[in-house]
Amino acid sequence: MGKLKESSRAIFCGALFLAVMAVYTFRLVDWQLIKGASFLETANRSSSSTVVMDAARGEIVDVNGVGLAVNKTGYAIVFDRAYMPADTQNKTIYQLIHLLSKRGEKWTDILPIRLNAKGKYEFIEGEEKEIATMKSKDFLNMNPYATADECMAEMIKKYEVSGYSAQDTRNIVSVRYNMTKCGFSLSAPYTFAPDVSRDTVGIISENSAMLPGVTAKVTTVRQYPDGTIAPHIIGTIGAISQEEYDKLKSKGYAFNDRLGKSGIEQAYEDMLRGKSGEKLVETTGSGSLASETVKTAPVSGNSVFLTIDSRIQKVLNASLAKNVEAARANGLRLCAQRYKGSSKGHGEDCVAGGAVVLRVKDFSVLAASTYPSYDLTEYLNDTNYYTSLIQNKAKPLINRAFNGVFTPGSVVKPYVAMAALQEGAITTSTRLEGNSVYRRFADTGLILKSIGNYGMITVDYAIEKSSNSFFYETGYRLGITNMNMYAKHFGLGVKTGIELSENAGILAGREERAASGGSWWDADTVEAAVGQSDNQFTPLQLATYTATIANNGTRLRSHIVSKVTDYTRKNVISQTQPQEVDNVGVSQTYISYVQRAMRKVATSGTASSMFKNYGIPIAAKTGTAVQTPHSDNVVFVAYAPFDNPEIAVAVVLEHGATSLYSNSVAKDVLDAYFYGKTVDEKGNIVMPSASSAASGASSGSTSSH
């Protein structure tokens, strides 16, 4: 019995052993013969890299969804390191540069060295930062005093460029240098040309065997349906600088990224940029591509809706340009005639201006214009055009609507009147002399001149006729401290809170004068009361001030962004709400009193020649600011309708001399808002026909009122 059990046990153990050996043998055959090739490939894999997938940039549109900065589908030429051996790069770059040159297309060229007419290498003027980066220890590690020839010699050696002409050598080095800066690698493809035509892509595809590692990527390219409509507001995008990269690399920016440089493009960079995706790229030990797997799909940036109405913006642009040019032409004509015995000071030097239109209900910017201006499309695509803008003495790149500061003149009188009434410096029945001279400082030899001989007048009549003499005395009684306290409440001399860069302006007074090492006198106070002295405000501040009057003393935050949505524009991410930032602290009785005086400015005062019979009742104030030795600034502010304000307007023509032209800009805007005025295909400002006017006004009411 015991022997039988031992025999059974032995048989069982033997069978178990044979079964285990059979399993091992089967697995060995499976591993080595059946799946051997697959496992060998896996074993040979030596690395995996994560490659960034670009996201489409969000678009910028007007309040009605009309595109201002949009995306078009384009093609970029990209170098892929997984397919581009090091020993083929120079030849490939040479072939591509010549292909694009023949087709008139651009490749990315940032090398701060050029070949001069004598065939010598030299540094490009104005590229000091790039030159310093090139010489730095991170790249060439050369002496700061190294010449262009020395830098080129080092890079020619570094990139093994030989057998090419001097110009071709320079171009190849430029591309290789930028590839190095951008960290060209398996995980970082290099964009050789960001925007090429479909035909060029076809040629590259046909010759792919001769261009290893060169691929065409479908991408999005910034496009401006009308690059002139609001360039200062939309802003620009450009290549990331070394300083920007150092700050932003922790946020996922690459050295060959582009980002907002100014305007909304810069202010809303985080919203517009989108979120890049990632794909996993695996390569074999020999460097061949093994597989690609998308880990995270890219997410397009958000779309930004501005508060601007494109139609009204176009009218404001055209009118501002037309009237600046008309003021200058009129000035030249009057100078030639020696009008009033003078051959200067008639507007011949008027070359610039700015204007802003706000909606009174929420202080959103309906339109904001700067003259001279520029074309965004040309700015980004034509180097010569950009150079001409930089060299233009009129400085068209400055956003005069938000950053230009101008001496305002008499448009400040309404707030000075309200401050004086509230502080008890005068009453509504106070009568002061409103004649052509002001003699308070006569014993010092200072006699200030004024227009008109109105006798003893009240403040409402002084606003209507814009009597300086009356406001000189009012300012003296009020004092500069009180005057400036109210000015800030109205938004003068302080930032409005707009989302873009803006100038705080200059509020004349002891503090400002002391900062420049000067002293403040009573005579300065009376000058400040009529918008002279050191006062300088932006058109945006003047529009905000006017809207505050129209809004019965409540100042809201001026803003230019209506909402932010996802890329599809269907889901709202954020919506700008009206935000109260101040109240002027003036009794409604006095506010209403000054409002009625501003209404008289339009019906029987200094603006009546243009607005007395205007179809919509408006309240207004004119201003003329002395700018010796130049022609006077002319300023106009208004709101309408008077009894239920919807929009506020501020226009400044620098050295415009004659108020006709500033007033005309405002009238064109009012016509556009209330009557559907528009700009035709030829650039002319036209009133639509009766039938189209009704539809124009109707469409305007949904977005503008």
Side-chain angles (χ1 to χ4, degrees):
M1 187 71 177
K3 290 183 178 179
L4 182 60
K5 286 183 178 180
E6 289 179 4
S7 177
S8 298
R9 188 179 297 117
I11 292 171
F12 174 76
C13 290
L16 181 61
F17 174 77
L18 290 174
V20 171
M21 290 301 295
V23 170
Y24 275 117
T25 301
F26 174 77
R27 296 302 295 164
L28 188 61
V29 170
D30 181 51
W31 291 343
Q32 291 189 346
L33 300 179
I34 300 174
K35 296 181 179 177
S38 175
F39 284 120
L40 179 61
E41 181 182 355
T42 301
N44 284 339
R45 290 178 186 167
S46 60
S47 65
S48 63
S49 302
T50 299
V51 178
V52 174
M53 302 171 68
D54 295 337
R57 190 171 181 83
E59 298 184 325
I60 302 171
V61 300
D62 84 346
V63 70
N64 297 311
V66 176
L68 301 175
V70 298
N71 296 325
K72 70 171 182 177
T73 299
Y75 301 92
I77 299 176
V78 179
F79 294 170
D80 190 332
R81 182 66 184 85
Y83 299 98
M84 185 178 244
D87 59 359
T88 67
Q89 292 177 13
N90 292 343
K91 181 179 179 181
T92 298
I93 292 167
Y94 168 81
Q95 291 174 308
L96 286 173
I97 288 174
H98 278 266
L99 171 62
L100 265 64
S101 295
K102 287 179 181 178
R103 299 186 59 78
E105 298 186 89
K106 296 181 180 180
W107 49 277
T108 303
D109 183 3
I110 67 165
L111 188 70
I113 296 174
R114 65 186 171 198
L115 200 66
N116 63 25
K118 297 180 180 179
K120 300 293 183 181
Y121 293 117
E122 64 181 11
F123 292 125
I124 298 174
E125 292 183 16
E127 294 290 335
E128 287 73 19
K129 284 188 177 181
E130 191 64 47
I131 293 168
T133 298
M134 180 179 64
K135 293 179 181 179
S136 71
K137 63 180 181 179
D138 293 329
F139 293 97
L140 297 183
N141 194 23
M142 298 188 73
N143 189 300
Y145 301 104
T147 65
D149 273 327
E150 290 169 340
C151 291
M152 280 297 298
E154 183 66 22
M155 286 188 284
I156 289 170
K157 178 181 177 182
K158 176 182 177 71
Y159 299 123
E160 300 179 350
V161 184
S162 62
Y164 299 97
S165 69
Q167 185 62 54
D168 286 333
T169 297
R170 181 261 168 212
N171 290 344
I172 294 170
V173 163
S174 175
V175 176
R176 294 295 302 274
Y177 165 67
N178 201 31
M179 289 165 68
T180 301
K181 282 188 65 177
C182 294
F184 179 56
S185 64
L186 287 171
S187 60
Y190 173 72
T191 302
F192 169 76
D195 185 19
V196 297
S197 67
R198 182 178 296 185
D199 289 343
T200 296
V201 170
I203 295 171
I204 290 173
S205 298
E206 291 171 2
N207 294 276
S208 58
M210 300 170 57
L211 301 168
V214 178
T215 60
K217 182 175 71 173
V218 177
T219 185
T220 56
V221 180
R222 221 38 163 185
Q223 187 178 48
Y224 307 98
D226 183 349
T228 66
I229 193 167
H232 302 89
I233 293 167
I234 295 167
T236 60
I237 55 175
I240 193 169
S241 68
Q242 181 68 53
E243 293 85 355
E244 289 167 333
Y245 175 67
D246 291 339
K247 294 177 182 178
L248 296 172
K249 59 184 177 182
S250 62
K251 294 185 177 182
Y253 281 79
F255 207 93
N256 60 345
D257 276 349
R258 295 170 68 79
L259 76 168
K261 295 287 187 174
S262 64
I264 293 294
E265 294 279 22
Q266 180 184 50
Y268 279 73
E269 169 68 18
D270 290 345
M271 286 286 190
L272 291 164
R273 181 174 182 247
K275 188 175 182 180
S276 299
E278 291 183 342
K279 65 179 177 180
L280 184 67
V281 177
E282 295 186 347
T283 56
T284 66
S286 62
S288 300
L289 181 70
S291 68
E292 290 184 343
T293 306
V294 175
K295 294 171 61 179
T296 308
V299 179
S300 299
N302 298 315
S303 293
V304 177
F305 279 71
L306 303 185
T307 59
I308 285 176
D309 184 305
S310 292
R311 178 180 60 81
I312 297 175
Q313 177 73 24
K314 288 179 181 180
V315 171
L316 183 58
N317 287 348
S319 184
L320 187 62
K322 179 183 73 174
N323 282 287
V324 167
E325 292 164 5
R328 183 169 64 253
N330 182 63
L332 291 170
R333 179 177 60 80
L334 294 178
C335 286
Q337 297 174 0
R338 292 189 60 81
Y339 179 67
K340 293 185 177 180
S342 177
S343 60
K344 64 179 182 178
H346 303 302
E348 72 284 355
D349 47 351
C350 181
V351 295
V356 174
V357 186
L358 295 183
R359 295 181 182 87
V360 173
K361 70 176 182 179
D362 60 4
F363 283 39
S364 57
V365 177
L366 178 65
S369 185
T370 290
Y371 184 86
S373 187
Y374 66 99
D375 187 326
L376 264 178
T377 302
E378 294 294 321
Y379 175 92
L380 294 175
N381 294 303
D382 187 339
T383 303
N384 293 330
Y385 180 76
Y386 173 75
T387 301
S388 71
L389 295 176
I390 294 293
Q391 296 174 345
N392 189 330
K393 293 181 180 180
K395 299 180 179 179
L397 294 177
I398 293 176
N399 181 356
R400 284 178 165 85
F402 295 172
N403 287 299
V405 291
F406 307 89
T407 306
S410 295
V411 294
V412 306
K413 289 173 180 175
Y415 100 76
V416 173
M418 281 185 268
L421 289 167
Q422 185 66 31
E423 292 298 314
I426 59 172
T427 69
T428 56
S429 59
T430 298
R431 291 183 177 272
L432 300 176
E433 188 174 6
N435 290 331
S436 59
V437 293
Y438 180 67
R439 301 181 179 275
R440 176 173 283 280
F441 306 111
D443 58 341
T444 67
L446 177 63
I447 298 178
L448 299 176
K449 295 182 179 180
S450 180
I451 296 175
N453 283 291
Y454 305 115
M456 302 301 289
I457 57 177
T458 53
V459 65
D460 58 340
Y461 192 78
I463 290 173
E464 177 186 341
K465 300 300 183 182
S466 201
S467 168
N468 276 358
S469 289
F470 185 100
F471 277 94
Y472 285 147
E473 181 61 21
T474 299
Y476 179 81
R477 295 184 180 191
L478 178 61
I480 193 62
T481 300
N482 282 332
M483 195 187 305
N484 285 353
M485 177 181 70
Y486 283 92
K488 291 177 181 178
H489 287 317
F490 278 97
L492 300 175
V494 293
K495 292 187 176 182
T496 68
I498 198 86
E499 296 92 333
L500 302 180
S501 168
E502 64 172 322
N503 197 316
I506 298 173
L507 193 57
R510 292 188 181 89
E511 184 178 346
E512 180 274 331
R513 186 65 62 81
S516 60
S519 299
W520 185 262
W521 308 97
D522 287 343
D524 294 311
T525 298
V526 304
E527 287 281 10
V530 297
Q532 293 282 167
S533 185
D534 303 327
N535 281 318
Q536 289 193 318
F537 307 132
T538 67
L540 175 62
Q541 288 175 318
L542 293 172
T544 299
Y545 153 62
T546 307
T548 302
I549 296 174
N551 203 36
N552 294 320
T554 298
R555 179 161 66 89
L556 307 181
R557 182 177 70 85
S558 301
H559 63 279
I560 200 166
V561 173
S562 172
K563 62 183 177 182
V564 177
T565 71
D566 63 4
Y567 192 79
T568 67
R569 307 185 191 177
K570 294 179 180 178
N571 301 310
V572 177
I573 294 170
S574 66
Q575 184 105 32
T576 305
Q577 300 296 333
Q579 178 184 346
E580 183 176 337
V581 294
D582 208 344
N583 189 286
V584 298
V586 175
S587 163
Q588 184 60 50
T589 299
Y590 296 139
I591 293 174
S592 299
Y593 177 84
V594 171
Q595 288 172 338
R596 290 193 295 272
M598 292 178 68
R599 173 70 184 129
K600 290 181 179 178
V601 170
T603 58
S604 55
T606 54
S608 60
S609 61
M610 183 169 292
F611 293 105
K612 178 170 60 178
N613 297 315
Y614 192 68
I616 303 295
I618 76 167
K621 186 67 191 79
T622 56
T624 303
V626 177
Q627 295 287 281
T628 307
H630 300 286
S631 303
D632 298 343
N633 286 354
V634 286
V635 187
F636 185 77
V637 299
Y639 66 84
F642 170 69
D643 50 356
N644 185 23
E646 294 182 22
I647 63 169
V649 183
V651 181
V652 182
L653 301 191
E654 189 171 25
H655 313 315
T658 305
S659 61
L660 165 67
Y661 302 106
S662 56
N663 298 9
S664 294
V665 175
K667 183 177 182 299
D668 280 335
V669 167
L670 292 168
D671 285 347
Y673 183 85
F674 292 108
Y675 299 116
K677 213 171 199 180
T678 189
V679 176
D680 65 17
E681 294 180 356
K682 296 180 180 179
N684 300 313
I685 304 172
V686 295
M687 194 72 82
S689 63
S691 59
S692 62
S695 62
S698 174
S699 64
S701 66
T702 61
S703 64
S704 305
H705 291 204

